[in-house]
Amino acid sequence: MNLADRSGTAAEALKSGLKEGEFELIVQKIGRNPTFTELAMFSGMWSEHCSYKNSILLLKNLYCESDRLLAQRGEENAGALRISDKHAVVFKIESHNHPSAIEPYQGAATGVGGIMRDVFTMGARPLVSLNSLRFGMPDQPANRHLMREAVRGIGNYGNSLGIPCAGGEIYFHNSYAKNPLVNAMTVGIADMGGLASARASGIGNLVLYVGAKTGRDGIHGASFASKNLSSQSVEERSAVQVGDPFMEKLLMEATLECIKSGLVVAIQDMGAAGLLSSSSEMSASGGVGMDLHLEKVPAREEAMEPFEYLLSESQERMLLIVEPSSLEKITAIFTKWELDCAQIGIITDTKHLRVYHHEKLFADLPSRLLTVNSDGAPRYKRETKKPAVGQMRPELENLETFHNALRNPKNGKLENLISDMVSHPNFASRLPVYEQYDTDIGGMRIIGPGHNGGLYKVPGTKQGIAVTSDGNSFYVAIDPYKGAQHTVAESYRNIIATGADPLGISNCLNFANPYIPENYYFFEQAVTGMSDAAQALKIPVTGGNVSFYNESDDGPVLPTPTIGMVGLIDDVDKSCGINLEPEMEIYLTGFFKPTVGCSQYVFNNTGKFNPVLPELNLQDEMNVGRAVREAIQSAIVSAAIDLSLGGLMMALLRMIFASFRNKYGENKYGKKDSACPGFVFDRDAIETAVKKLNLSVDNFFWGESAHSYLLATKDSRNFETLMSKRQIPFLKTGIVKENNSLLDLCPTTVNLQKLYSDYNNGLAKFF
Amino acid sequence: MSVSNLKAGILYFPGTNCETDLVNTLNQRYGMRTELLWHTESFPVDHDIYFVPGGFSYGDYLRSGALAARSASIRSLKEAANKNIMIVGICNGFQILTEAGLLPGALIRNENLKHICKWVDLQADGSWAKRIHQPFQWPISHSEGNFTASSEEIKKLKDEDRIIFRYPENVNGSTENIAGITDSSGRIIGLMPHPERALNETKDYSYTKNSSGDYFFKNLFQMI
C-alpha cells in the first residue's frame, strides 16, 4: 500500500470533532496510523450525525413490525410500506436544526432538499411534504427573523420543486430562541417493484456522480451538527450548505427517469458527509469495495484537496451504480436534463474504499469501518440520570378562572380569556405560515393544512395518504416516557380523525448534548416510550433521524421527539374534514380524562404547570380510534377533530373557525362578508358530565386529554348506536346553529367574529 | 368540434412543474389529446391550442420567464400566434408570455415580498363574465404576480376590454387589480390564478362548485 498522504495525528482527531480515545480506536482497527485524509473521513463518518454512535443501541430496539414493510430500517434512505399491489408509500422526517440556527433561509431550504432526495432516491415521486418548527417566542425580533426566514426557505424550495405542503406544526418556547428546530418530512409514492436500493453490487460496475458540481460549501457540516451551538457558531457559517431548488427539480426528474428505466443498480443521495458517506455506506451495505478518482468529480472550485471533495456537502448531488453497458443510456438522460454525469469510480472486490487523486492513493479503508450499520463506527451507551421532578401545585388543578368568567358574563372577561388563548402564538391560525407554501400543486389535495392532518390522493387511484407531524416537548420535558407516548397517540388521533388507518412512523429526535446524563435520560426514556406506544398501537417505526446538541449558551432546548406519521384510506371519498354545518350535533367521544395542571391553558394563564401528564391508556386509544374511523368511513360522522393542546374548547373553536363561509357557501378566510355557524352548548348535559367525571369546569373546557375526539353528525341515532355497540363513551355537547357567529355557553354568549379575527391575527402580526 | 378531436401542445422548460396537472386535466377530464413540447426544439405548429404551464422555469433566478422566453420552442409559439392559434399562459406561463412579448406588461414581486398560496376572489369581465357568478375563487400560488405596465399600456388594456380577470381585493399589488389579460386578438391569454387546480372536490371545503375552473376550460374550448 502506497499512501501518498501524510499521517493524521491524535490532536487533529480531537480538533476535527472525534472524541477522546477514538483516534486510538482507529489505529487499533486499521493497524496503523490513519492518513490525514483518512482521519478526516473518520471525523465525518464517526460524527454523531452520521454514526448515531450515542443513539444506535437504543434505536435498534424501536418497534418495527409490519407485513407491509419493504425496507429494513437504517439500510435504505427512507422507510417504505406497501399500500397496494401497485404502490408503496416512502417517507422520512429529518432535522436541519444547526444550519437553520445560523442561516435560517438556507438551513431550512436545504433541509427540505435533503429529505426530498432521500425519498426520490428510493424511486418514489414526492407526494407531499410537512414540517415541524420550533422557535423562541415571536415577540422577540431575533426569533421573528429566524421564523420568517426559515418559513420562506421551506416555501421557496418546496414550491420551486413543485411538491405541495400538507401541513405540519409550529410551536414557540423560549428554550428554542438560539437553537430553533427545523424538521422536514417528505412522503412519496413508488411503484411496487420500482423501488431503488442503496446497496452497491456488481464487481466492475461504474460509480457515477450526477447533479450539481462540488464546492467547498458545507465541509464538516456533519461534525458542525454534532456539537453545541455557541456564539462561535456564527463563524462556522461556511458549514451551512446553499440550496438550489431548480437543480433539485432537474435532479429529481432525471433520477426518477433513470430508476424507471431499470438501469440503476444502486443509488444514494449525497447528504451529510457528502460523497464520503454515500460511497462508504453503499459499498459497506453491498459488501463490496469502491475505488474513487476524485479529479473526475465535477468541481466548481479550484485546487480542492481530497478531504474537501469527500466531505463537501454541496447540495443536489447523487451517487449511482450502473453496469458499464448502461452508461450511454444513463448519460443521455442526464444530458437531457442538463446535469453533470461523471464516471468517478468503479466497484471492486476489495471491500475497501480507496480514494485516489491524480493517481495518488490518499485513503484505503475497509468501508464497514466507517459506517453505522456494520460494526465499524463506535457505539456507546451513555450514562443517564433522572433529574429532580418539579413541585406539584394543587391550586393549578382547581383554577376557576374560566368558571368565574362564565358566571359573570357582564364583565367581559370571558371573551378576553378565550381571545388570549386563540391569539396565543401556540394556538393562533397557522395560515400566515402555510400561505407561503404551495398546498395545491399536483391536484391530489383532499385535505390541506390547518386541519387534523393532511390527506392527499395517490395519483391514479382512490386511495389517500394521510399525513401528520407532531411533537409535544412540553409533555416530554415533564415526563419523557409518557410524553413521548402522548406524542405518538396524538399523531395516531390526527390520522384517525381524517378517516384513515395509521400505517407507519418516522421520527426525528431533537435532544441536547448526550454526554450529559440528565439529557441522556430524557433521550432514553423518550425513545423507549415512543417504541412502547408504537408497539401498543401496532405502527412500525420505519426510520428517522437523531439530532443531539440542541442547546445554546442559554441551555438546552426542551427535549423534542417529533413524530411523522402516515396513514392510508382506501377511498378518499370516505374521509372527513373538520368543517361544520348547521344542525350537526357534536359529541365528545372517547375516554375523556382531562388534566388541566400541565395544560397550555394553565401555562398561558399562570406561567406555571404541574409535573403530571394526562392519563394515557393505549388500548383505550386504539379502541376509540377504531370506532371513530368506522363512524367516519360509514359517513355517520361528517366532521371530526381530535383533542390535543387547548382541550375541548380549542378543538371546538378550530372546527368553528374552519367553517367561516360567505353567502355562496365559499370558504372566505375571515373576510368581512363571511359568517360562521353558531354553536349552542347543552348546559344540562355538561353540568351532569362535570359532576359525574368530578372535574372542575376549567378542566372540562381546557384540560388536555388523550383518547378523545369531537365528532359532528347529523345522524345522532346511528352514531349513538355505533358507539354504544363499540363500548365507547360519548357525550352530546351541543348543536351547530345557523350562520349567526355566536357561541352560546349557556347562559353566556360570545361573538365569534371578533374571536376569529384575533385567531387570525395572533401569528400573522409577526409576519 | 368535439374536444376529443382536438390536440393541445403544452410547452415545458427546465423547472416547469405544473405540466402534469394540465396534461391530467386536459386528457383525463376533457379527453383532449396532449403533447408535451420540450424547450430545446422548435415544433411544427399543428396543435389546436397551446398552454404554457406554471412553475419556476430556469429557477426564476433571472426575471421570471426571461430565459424561457428565449428558447427554441417559444420561437415556434410565436409562429402559432401569427396563425391566430389560441395560447394560454398560466402563472409562470403568463410571465413567460409577457417576457416573450406576446402579452404586454410584466409581473414583478408581490407587494408583501412573500409567496402567496391561497384561494382568492376573482371577477371576470367581458365575454369571460358569462356562465359564472361573481366573484368566484381560484387558487393562486406565486411570488411574482404583481402585474405592472406603462400607463399607455394599461389604458389600452382597459379601452380594449382586455382585462379579463381581476382580484376584487388586491392580493399582490397588481396595477388595476389585474389577474389576467389577453392580447389585442383576445386569443392569447395570460392569468396568474390556477383554474386547473379548481376542479376536484376536497374535504377541506377549499373547493366549491361555484368556483369550479371547469368554466374556464369550457370557455376556452368554445373559442378554439
Side-chain angles (χ1 to χ4, degrees):
Chain A
M1 189 190 320
N2 272 323
L3 284 156
D5 202 8
R6 70 167 174 84
S7 281
T9 66
E12 283 170 336
L14 287 177
K15 207 177 153 206
S16 66
L18 288 171
K19 300 289 178 191
E20 211 64 62
E22 288 180 346
F23 181 82
E24 291 70 23
L25 188 63
I26 293 168
V27 174
Q28 184 202 326
K29 288 211 179 210
I30 65 175
R32 59 177 168 82
N33 271 1
T35 66
F36 173 75
T37 305
E38 288 171 342
L39 191 57
M41 291 162 71
F42 279 109
S43 85
M45 292 307 292
W46 286 16
S47 69
E48 189 69 56
H49 194 73
C50 289
S51 74
Y52 292 80
K53 57 188 167 193
N54 288 306
S55 59
I56 189 75
L57 291 172
L58 282 170
L59 299 181
K60 287 266 173 218
N61 300 329
L62 278 169
Y63 175 77
C64 188
E65 284 170 30
S66 167
D67 52 7
R68 298 175 180 272
L69 216 58
L70 296 170
Q72 281 310 306
R73 182 174 62 223
E75 287 188 6
E76 297 292 352
N77 286 292
L81 296 167
R82 178 176 50 79
I83 54 169
S84 69
D85 294 344
K86 288 188 181 135
H87 296 114
V89 61
V90 175
F91 62 104
K92 191 179 178 191
I93 186 166
E94 203 165 70
S95 63
H96 228 217
N97 306 334
H98 288 75
S100 304
I102 305 300
E103 185 70 85
Y105 178 87
Q106 291 296 348
T110 52
V112 174
I115 198 65
M116 293 280 187
R117 282 195 298 285
D118 276 338
V119 167
F120 68 73
T121 196
M122 300 268 295
R125 182 172 281 277
L127 177 71
V128 291
S129 68
L130 298 100
N131 52 77
S132 279
L133 308 175
R134 297 286 182 282
F135 302 99
M137 297 308 291
D139 52 348
Q140 293 301 311
N143 300 341
R144 216 150 56 218
H145 166 76
L146 289 171
M147 168 182 76
R148 285 178 184 161
E149 287 298 287
V151 167
R152 197 168 66 86
I154 290 169
N156 281 3
Y157 206 100
N159 297 343
S160 217
L161 202 56
I163 307 304
C165 180
E169 43 144 20
I170 183 167
Y171 183 84
F172 302 91
H173 185 275
N174 274 335
S175 71
Y176 301 110
K178 289 183 183 163
N179 192 138
L181 304 184
V182 174
N183 295 175
M185 175 168 172
T186 295
V187 181
I189 302 293
D191 289 338
M192 286 290 288
L195 281 171
S197 169
R199 246 172 294 176
S201 64
I203 313 304
N205 277 348
L206 310 178
V207 180
L208 300 186
Y209 169 112
V210 301
K213 289 181 167 52
T214 297
R216 287 191 171 89
D217 49 331
I219 288 175
H220 294 308
S223 31
F224 167 69
S226 304
K227 63 185 175 194
N228 294 352
L229 285 167
S230 67
S231 45
Q232 286 161 10
S233 302
V234 179
E235 307 298 320
E236 297 185 49
R237 194 168 281 170
S238 70
V240 179
Q241 312 82 344
V242 177
D244 178 356
F246 169 60
M247 182 67 84
E248 177 108 335
K249 166 77 174 158
L250 303 181
L251 188 63
M252 177 172 80
E253 296 302 339
T255 302
L256 290 173
E257 197 173 325
C258 276
I259 293 173
K260 205 165 185 182
S261 74
L263 301 174
V264 175
V265 174
I267 179 168
Q268 183 166 332
D269 78 300
M270 296 190 215
L275 175 59
L276 168 63
S277 65
S278 50
S279 56
S280 53
E281 286 170 10
M282 290 179 85
S283 51
S285 66
V288 294
M290 194 185 285
D291 283 359
L292 293 179
H293 298 274
L294 297 179
E295 72 282 359
K296 294 183 179 166
V297 170
R300 61 178 145 79
E301 293 191 52
E302 306 246 325
M304 283 176 55
E305 300 285 330
F307 83 94
E308 293 177 314
Y309 280 108
L310 290 167
L311 288 173
S312 162
E313 291 186 11
S314 292
Q315 298 288 292
E316 294 94 19
R317 304 176 302 160
M318 291 274 189
L319 203 62
L320 266 71
I321 311 298
V322 302
E323 288 175 13
S325 58
S326 315
L327 183 62
E328 204 175 318
K329 281 180 186 157
I330 293 279
T331 309
I333 293 174
F334 283 97
T335 305
K336 176 194 163 184
W337 291 101
E338 300 172 20
L339 292 167
D340 276 320
C341 175
Q343 185 194 328
I344 62 163
I346 196 159
I347 300 296
T348 68
D349 60 2
T350 62
K351 299 194 178 184
H352 276 226
L353 180 62
R354 289 190 297 206
V355 179
Y356 295 88
H357 192 219
H358 295 295
E359 302 300 320
K360 285 185 191 154
L361 183 62
F362 279 77
D364 184 351
L365 295 169
S367 300
R368 61 173 185 82
L369 282 190
L370 291 163
T371 63
V372 56
N373 278 326
S374 41
D375 54 358
R379 296 169 174 198
Y380 306 120
K381 177 148 176 44
R382 300 244 71 86
E383 192 188 330
T384 65
K385 188 177 167 199
K386 188 177 179 177
V389 179
Q391 201 191 339
M392 188 73 186
R393 297 180 180 86
E395 74 277 11
L396 296 182
E397 301 293 340
N398 300 315
L399 216 62
E400 294 225 358
T401 319
F402 190 69
H403 194 193
N404 287 335
L406 271 177
R407 282 188 294 206
N408 302 297
K410 286 195 181 131
N411 63 12
K413 274 195 182 150
L414 185 66
E415 202 154 316
N416 288 345
L417 200 71
I418 302 176
S419 169
D420 286 350
M421 283 296 284
V422 299
S423 65
H424 190 279
N426 283 338
F427 288 111
S429 167
R430 272 68 184 118
L431 188 67
V433 178
Y434 61 76
E435 186 173 281
Q436 297 188 48
Y437 306 149
D438 198 323
T439 51
D440 303 75
I441 191 166
M444 296 300 134
R445 169 177 172 170
I446 302 296
I447 299 173
H451 301 80
N452 295 296
L455 181 67
Y456 283 67
K457 237 163 76 156
V458 177
T461 74
K462 294 202 86 174
Q463 285 190 313
I465 299 292
V467 289
T468 180
S469 66
D470 293 289
N472 192 333
S473 44
F474 200 74
Y475 279 16
V476 177
I478 290 172
D479 179 342
Y481 179 84
K482 213 168 156 191
Q485 293 205 315
H486 269 291
T487 309
V488 175
E490 192 195 328
S491 285
Y492 177 86
R493 290 195 297 277
N494 280 335
I495 299 290
I496 290 284
T498 65
D501 196 5
L503 220 59
I505 291 173
S506 185
N507 62 33
C508 192
L509 305 167
N510 309 275
F511 288 81
N513 183 349
Y515 288 82
I516 294 173
E518 284 85 351
N519 292 346
Y520 205 71
Y521 170 80
F522 279 105
F523 180 72
E524 185 199 43
Q525 290 292 306
V527 171
T528 313
M530 178 185 297
S531 182
D532 289 354
Q535 183 160 17
L537 298 170
K538 299 188 172 62
I539 313 170
V541 182
T542 63
N545 99 318
V546 177
S547 171
F548 281 129
Y549 303 100
N550 288 294
E551 52 187 276
S552 65
D553 304 344
D554 297 346
V557 303
L558 292 183
T560 313
T562 307
I563 297 286
M565 196 182 283
V566 298
L568 176 68
I569 187 165
D570 277 329
D571 181 354
V572 290
D573 290 340
K574 292 184 173 167
S575 64
C576 87
I578 66 174
N579 309 80
L580 301 177
E581 278 167 22
E583 302 312 318
M584 283 179 173
E585 290 178 293
I586 298 187
Y587 285 86
L588 172 61
T589 311
F591 300 91
F592 181 61
K593 293 175 181 172
T595 305
V596 78
C598 66
S599 69
Q600 290 291 302
Y601 166 75
V602 161
F603 186 63
N604 289 356
N605 278 297
T606 66
K608 298 172 196 152
F609 58 90
N610 270 338
V612 176
L613 297 185
E615 219 180 299
L616 175 62
N617 180 321
L618 291 161
Q619 191 55 50
D620 285 349
E621 190 72 88
M622 197 149 70
N623 291 344
V624 179
R626 284 177 176 158
V628 171
R629 198 172 64 237
E630 187 181 350
I632 294 171
Q633 293 216 356
S634 55
I636 292 172
V637 161
S638 31
I641 194 165
D642 67 299
L643 263 56
S644 58
L645 299 189
L648 184 153
M649 198 65 183
M650 207 56 222
L652 176 69
L653 287 168
R654 284 185 56 207
M655 288 183 121
I656 290 173
F657 291 158
S659 310
F660 266 79
R661 298 273 181 282
N662 68 2
K663 60 181 174 180
Y664 306 111
E666 291 168 339
N667 225 342
K668 295 296 283 186
Y669 296 123
K671 299 253 181 67
K672 285 188 195 82
D673 59 345
S674 68
C676 74
F679 183 77
V680 182
F681 270 102
D682 183 337
R683 188 182 178 181
D684 291 344
I686 286 166
E687 277 183 358
T688 313
V690 166
K691 273 197 199 112
K692 196 177 137 204
L693 297 167
N694 194 20
L695 300 171
S696 73
V697 169
D698 285 40
N699 192 5
F700 179 82
F701 284 102
W702 297 101
E704 293 166 9
S705 171
H707 19 72
S708 303
Y709 300 78
L710 286 183
L711 304 178
T713 178
K714 283 186 176 172
D715 185 359
S716 55
R717 189 191 300 175
N718 277 323
F719 176 82
E720 294 189 3
T721 309
L722 174 66
M723 290 302 158
S724 305
K725 209 159 94 187
R726 300 282 173 261
Q727 296 177 309
I728 305 299
F730 55 86
L731 167 72
K732 193 191 285 181
T733 58
I735 185 159
V736 183
K737 290 291 181 188
E738 288 306 315
N739 281 11
N740 61 7
S741 303
L742 292 175
L743 175 64
D744 190 346
L745 286 149
C746 299
T748 315
T749 300
V750 181
N751 186 325
L752 288 159
Q753 288 280 4
K754 173 171 180 303
L755 286 178
Y756 186 42
S757 131
D758 297 343
Y759 172 72
N760 278 321
N761 288 331
L763 192 53
K765 66 182 176 211
F766 298 118
F767 271 88
Chain B
M1 194 195 260
S2 147
V3 174
S4 57
N5 294 326
L6 299 174
K7 189 167 82 169
I10 298 172
L11 281 69
Y12 72 126
F13 307 84
T16 299
N17 60 25
C18 297
E19 76 278 17
T20 314
D21 294 1
L22 260 182
V23 169
N24 289 345
T25 300
L26 297 171
N27 242 322
Q28 290 164 19
R29 191 179 180 91
Y30 297 111
M32 184 183 270
R33 285 177 297 145
T34 53
E35 186 182 0
L36 281 169
L37 304 165
W38 188 233
H39 71 113
T40 48
E41 281 167 44
S42 55
F43 53 83
V45 180
D46 58 4
H47 305 81
D48 302 291
I49 182 168
Y50 290 96
F51 287 90
V52 190
F56 291 73
S57 53
Y58 296 93
D60 280 353
Y61 291 131
L62 193 58
R63 294 188 317 273
S64 307
L67 285 171
R70 280 144 188 88
S71 50
S73 63
I74 291 289
R75 284 199 288 278
S76 302
L77 193 70
K78 287 180 177 169
E79 207 181 301
N82 288 333
K83 291 185 176 170
N84 216 19
I85 299 175
M86 287 204 67
I87 298 171
V88 182
I90 300 174
C91 201
N92 193 220
F94 185 12
Q95 295 161 344
I96 292 169
L97 294 184
T98 63
E99 284 288 343
L102 290 169
L103 287 172
L107 293 137
I108 60 173
R109 290 291 296 279
N110 294 341
E111 206 170 42
N112 71 356
L113 304 179
K114 292 189 175 80
H115 188 95
I116 307 173
C117 171
K118 67 173 172 185
W119 290 66
V120 296
D121 280 356
L122 290 163
Q123 179 86 34
D125 281 329
S127 60
W128 284 90
K130 277 184 270 174
R131 305 215 325 257
I132 184 99
H133 85 71
Q134 311 260 25
F136 56 98
Q137 296 181 302
W138 287 340
I140 57 166
S141 183
H142 57 244
S143 302
E144 295 170 341
N146 179 349
F147 184 86
T148 184
S150 68
S151 45
E152 297 84 56
E153 282 289 1
I154 295 287
K155 187 173 179 307
K156 222 166 133 189
L157 283 171
K158 283 163 81 175
D159 291 348
E160 296 173 8
D161 284 333
R162 287 162 51 196
I163 303 172
I164 56 171
F165 300 117
R166 291 178 207 254
Y167 312 104
E169 208 171 296
N170 202 333
V171 286
N172 54 20
S174 285
T175 310
E176 293 284 332
N177 296 24
I178 287 173
I181 57 169
T182 73
D183 74 331
S184 53
S185 74
R187 295 183 65 77
I188 302 180
I189 294 167
L191 70 164
M192 289 312 296
H194 288 272
E196 83 278 17
R197 296 185 186 181
L199 293 168
N200 298 316
E201 298 234 15
T202 64
K203 293 278 183 176
D204 58 11
Y205 286 36
S206 54
Y207 165 90
T208 54
K209 285 197 173 67
N210 284 334
S211 287
S212 175
D214 193 45
Y215 127 91
F216 177 77
F217 289 99
K218 290 204 168 136
N219 265 9
L220 275 188
F221 301 153
Q222 281 195 347
M223 291 170 72
I224 294 174

